[in-house]
Amino acid sequence: ILNVEQSPQSLHVQEGDSTNFTCSFPSSNFYALHWYRWETAKSPEALFVMTLNGDEKKKGRISATLNTKEGYSYLYIKGSQPEDSATYLCAFIGTNAGKSTFGDGTTLTVKP
Amino acid sequence: GAGVSQSPRYKVTKRGQDVALRCDPISGHVSLYWYRQALGQGPEFLTYFNYEAQQDKSGLPNDRFSAERPEGSISTLTIQRTEQRDSAMYRCASSSTGYEQYFGPGTRLTVT
């Protein structure tokens, strides 16, 4: 059984704060890691696809890093805004390149 | 179509009945995935297809669950003799690359 762990489970920050959270995954048989943003009552939307150790991806105020050797990825949000409030999911894809194993997400609430 | 669609969006059924959940992926997407999602948790892998071939069904909980994608496009997830524990959100996703997945709105199944 693959364990994909996300921490913290939830996070409350003030508008303008920068924040980060973690996705831990198996360090063996790594193929790719995805980050998704999921708003309540909507479907998860892809943020980043990360494949190489040391990868750093950025989209606006959101960025992510990847360490496949130690099995973790960080997601950073700079200057959080209320519209960033959502659950952020990571998904590990192993070398069979098919099945995705999701974490349970970090739920971010940004207070104005 | 513009995105992944699922039908019905909501299904209430009595214990012991069979249900069929439909997924219409983004046109041209090779891969199609089925997930089950409990409240407050990330998507749990059930099965996935490349074209019409079922590649991995290791996540199907038991033999009451089955899925097909006969023409490599629309897929149906069937649950026979439903039980209350089957109540959940069932999500479908499709992908053109096998990596980044596009999720449908889900079918909320309630077994009474």
Side-chain angles (χ1 to χ4, degrees):
Chain A
I1 297 177
L2 290 176
N3 279 327
V4 178
E5 304 285 342
Q6 291 189 247
S7 63
Q9 185 176 11
S10 63
L11 197 54
H12 295 254
V13 302
Q14 289 293 135
E15 182 176 356
D17 287 351
S18 294
T19 186
N20 66 85
F21 24 93
T22 306
C23 172
S24 301
F25 51 86
S27 57
S28 58
N29 301 317
F30 176 86
Y31 196 82
L33 187 88
H34 296 176
W35 279 100
Y36 292 86
R37 181 174 183 275
W38 176 37
E39 289 183 66
T40 304
K42 295 185 178 180
S43 304
E45 294 181 349
L47 280 173
F48 303 116
V49 175
M50 309 185 80
T51 55
L52 298 175
N53 185 45
D55 248 0
E56 183 168 342
K57 297 283 178 86
K58 188 174 181 181
K59 185 182 289 188
R61 295 179 291 99
I62 305 177
S63 60
T65 60
L66 179 68
N67 183 323
T68 60
K69 294 184 178 180
E70 296 183 35
Y72 65 83
S73 176
Y74 292 139
L75 190 79
Y76 300 91
I77 303 179
K78 185 177 177 181
S80 302
Q81 299 296 310
E83 58 264 32
D84 296 329
S85 297
T87 296
Y88 292 84
L89 294 164
C90 67
F92 169 85
I93 298 95
T95 48
N96 65 5
K99 176 180 177 177
S100 298
T101 302
F102 279 80
D104 286 336
T106 293
T107 298
L108 174 68
T109 303
V110 183
K111 300 177 183 177
Chain B
V4 178
S5 61
Q6 292 185 245
S7 61
R9 294 290 306 278
Y10 302 91
K11 177 71 177 178
V12 180
T13 191
K14 291 186 177 179
R15 188 178 55 178
Q17 298 294 307
D18 297 351
V19 295
L21 311 181
R22 172 181 163 133
C23 173
D24 198 342
I26 292 173
S27 178
H29 275 192
V30 168
S31 302
L32 184 148
Y33 307 81
W34 282 102
Y35 297 93
R36 180 168 66 177
Q37 190 167 19
L39 199 62
Q41 296 183 6
E44 174 195 5
F45 173 83
L46 295 177
T47 185
Y48 89 98
F49 295 82
N50 282 341
Y51 300 103
E52 72 281 0
Q54 192 170 22
Q55 299 292 321
D56 186 333
K57 56 181 181 179
S58 62
L60 295 176
N62 51 60
D63 61 6
R64 295 186 296 105
F65 287 73
S66 62
E68 61 175 9
R69 194 187 184 199
E71 297 179 2
S73 178
I74 293 168
S75 177
T76 302
L77 177 71
T78 302
I79 309 173
Q80 295 179 312
R81 305 181 303 281
T82 52
E83 301 177 6
Q84 284 188 320
R85 60 179 172 154
D86 299 333
S87 297
M89 175 71 84
Y90 289 84
R91 292 194 188 273
C92 168
S94 70
S95 169
S96 63
T97 62
Y99 304 156
E100 181 177 292
Q101 296 177 27
Y102 294 82
F103 282 82
T107 295
R108 169 72 67 188
L109 175 66
T110 303
V111 182
T112 62

